Amino acid sequence: MTSRAQRREVTQRAILDASLRLLADGGQEALTVRGLARELNLVPSALYRYVTNRADLLNILFEHVYNDYADAVQAAHDAVPREDIRGRWRAAAFAQRDWGLEHPHEWTLINGTPPRDYSGPTTGPIPAASRVHVMLARLGADVEAAGYRPRVTADDYGTDLEGLRQFAIAAGADVRPETLVAGVAAWHMITGILRVEFFRAYAYDIVDPAAYFALIEAASEKLLFGDGPVA
Amino acid sequence: MTSRAQRREVTQRAILDASLRLLADGGQEALTVRGLARELNLVPSALYRYVTNRADLLNILFEHVYNDYADAVQAAHDAVPREDIRGRWRAAAFAQRDWGLEHPHEWTLINGTPPRDYSGPTTGPIPAASRVHVMLARLGADVEAAGYRPRVTADDYGTDLEGLRQFAIAAGADVRPETLVAGVAAWHMITGILRVEFFRAYAYDIVDPAAYFALIEAASEKLLFGDGPVA
DNA sequence: TGTACATCAGTGAACGCGCGTTCACTGATGTAC
DNA sequence: TGTACATCAGTGAACGCGCGTTCACTGATGTAC
C-alpha cells in the first residue's frame, strides 16, 4: 500500500469520526458538508474527493450508527449465560435503552424520522436491523426449547408469516413463526416506549422513566414467555 | 364582533389551512415562514401579525394534527358497540394505521423526531395524547369488567404505576393499573410496528404490510385480553 | 539514480439558493366626539 | 352625520446567515523509463 492510499484511509476515517462527533453533538441536522469541513479544518469542496454528496455521507453514517446499536444490544445479550433465557431478553431490551440514553442523537437517527437526504434501501431490509432480528430469532428458538409458550397463536399464516419462517431458517433458528411474531411484537413494544421517553411524547406524567420502562419491559416478557415453562 | 376581527379570524384560519397543506405535501420541513407566505399570497413579514415565530407556527400545527389523530382513533373506537370490547381495541389499532396511511406526514410529525423548532410541553403530558389514553383506560375498565385478564402482573407498584392509577381514576375508569400497563404496552406495540412500516425500517422483507400489521395486532390482543374471559 | 510526466489531495472563489426576522412605511378600517 | 384621530393589516426592502455544489488552480506525492 502506497503512502498516498494510507493517507486516504486516514482521512476517510477522520471524516467518519468527525461525522459521528457532529451527529452526537447536534443531531443529524448538524451534519452538513460545510460543518464537517470546518470540523476537519478543510475547505468544503475538499470533501468531494471522498464523498459524492451529502446523501452519501448520511448513508455511511447511518450504517455505522445502526451497527453500533446492534453491537451494543448483541453484546449485552451475549454477556448473559445461554440458559438464562429471560435474562437474555431483558438484557437486550435494557441495552437498547441504555444505548439510547448514552447516544440520544444516534438513537433518534435510526428510530426517528429518516433524514431528508437519506436514501437507505428503498426496498428490502436494513442490514444492521436484520442483525438484531437474527439474534431475536435464535433467542426465540431457545424460548421454545425451554418449554415457554408465548401467548400468540396466529390463525392466518399469511405470506409474511411464511417470510418470517424463512428468515428464521436462514438465521439457523428452529422456531415457530408464532413465537417470532411474539418476539418481534415485544421488541416493537420496547422501541415504542423508548420513543415516548426520548421524544417526550408523554400521555401522562412519567416521573421515573427507568421504573416505567421496567414495567413495560415486564409486559414484553409476559407476551414472549407466557406464564412460564410448560413441562 | 367588528369586521376587522372577523377578517382576522378568517386569516388565522387560512394560515392554519395553508400550514396543513404544506405539511401534507412536503412534511414539516416544507412548513417555512416564507413558504407559508407564498401559499397565502402574502409577504413573509405579514405573518408576524399572526404568529410570533416559526416555533409558534409549529406548536399550533402540532396540536391540531395530534387532535386530528385522536379524533380519528376515537371515532373508529366509538363506532363499535360498547359490548364488543375486542372489536373496540381492534378498531382503534387499525384506525391509527389507516389515519397514518392517509396522512403520512402528519403521522410522522407526531410520531417521528420532534421538529427542530418545536418546543411542546417540556414537562408534562401532551393533551391530545392524553385523549387517546383516556379512551384506552376506559376500554381497560371494560376489558376487566368483561372478565378478561390481561397477561401482565406487576411485582413492583412503583411511582408511575400509582401515577397511572391516578390517571385512570381521573379518566373515570375503574381499572387495575396492571391492565393499564398491558393496554399501554400493547398500544406502543401498534405504534412501533407502524414506525417500521412507515419509515421503511424493515429488518426483513415485508411483502404485505397490511397482513403483517394484522399479525402484530393479533399479538397486541393476546397481551391485553389474555386467553379469553374468565368466568 | 535522475528526470519527465501523471496523479490527485486540497485550495479559494464563486454560483444561486432559501431561510427567519427587523423595520419604517402606507393606506384602509374603525372609533370618539 | 361629519371630522379628526387611532389602530392595525399588509408592503417592500433589507439584514445576515448557512447551505450544497462547481470549477479552475497549485503543489506535493508517486510512477515509468
Side-chain angles (χ1 to χ4, degrees), chain B residues 26-228:
Chain B
Q28 64 93 354
E29 288 191 341
L31 181 67
T32 62
V33 176
R34 297 186 99 100
L36 189 55
R38 247 175 271 130
E39 190 75 8
L40 291 161
N41 286 316
L42 280 179
V43 102
S45 52
L47 285 170
Y48 286 85
R49 296 262 167 224
Y50 299 91
V51 142
T52 66
N53 52 31
R54 181 172 127 93
D56 190 25
L57 211 53
L58 270 166
N59 288 342
I60 294 166
L61 190 69
F62 194 88
E63 174 117 5
H64 186 91
V65 168
Y66 222 131
N67 271 304
D68 242 41
Y69 150 79
D71 287 343
V73 171
Q74 183 84 53
H77 168 272
D78 290 353
V80 176
R82 187 157 194 254
E83 60 284 5
D84 182 3
I85 301 174
R86 241 176 218 279
R88 283 159 64 194
W89 171 265
R90 197 173 298 170
F94 276 91
Q96 183 183 171
R97 180 165 186 270
D98 291 341
W99 185 82
L101 285 173
E102 277 169 41
H103 305 94
H105 287 121
E106 287 85 342
W107 190 92
T108 297
L109 178 68
I110 61 181
N111 289 289
T113 313
R116 188 161 41 85
D117 286 336
Y118 167 72
S119 63
T122 54
T123 175
I126 295 169
S130 296
R131 285 182 53 203
V132 171
H133 280 72
V134 164
M135 189 198 81
L136 293 179
R138 291 184 185 147
L139 178 55
D142 291 347
V143 166
E144 276 184 8
Y148 292 104
R149 283 293 168 271
R151 304 243 138 239
V152 173
T153 51
D155 315 320
D156 176 18
Y157 287 70
T159 324
D160 286 307
L161 202 52
E162 178 57 26
L164 212 46
R165 214 173 63 81
Q166 296 298 335
F167 176 79
I169 288 171
D174 180 18
V175 55
R176 296 177 310 154
E178 298 92 311
T179 303
L180 278 173
V181 170
V184 165
W187 193 250
H188 288 152
M189 223 157 94
I190 298 299
T191 307
I193 175 60
L194 289 178
R195 193 206 120 242
V196 172
E197 179 178 350
F198 294 159
F199 292 170
R200 304 204 140 278
Y202 297 165
Y204 35 78
D205 285 311
I206 294 179
V207 297
D208 183 348
Y212 189 70
F213 178 80
L215 280 176
I216 302 291
E217 194 278 331
S220 78
E221 286 185 34
K222 217 61 189 183
L223 180 66
L224 184 55
F225 295 96
D227 292 321

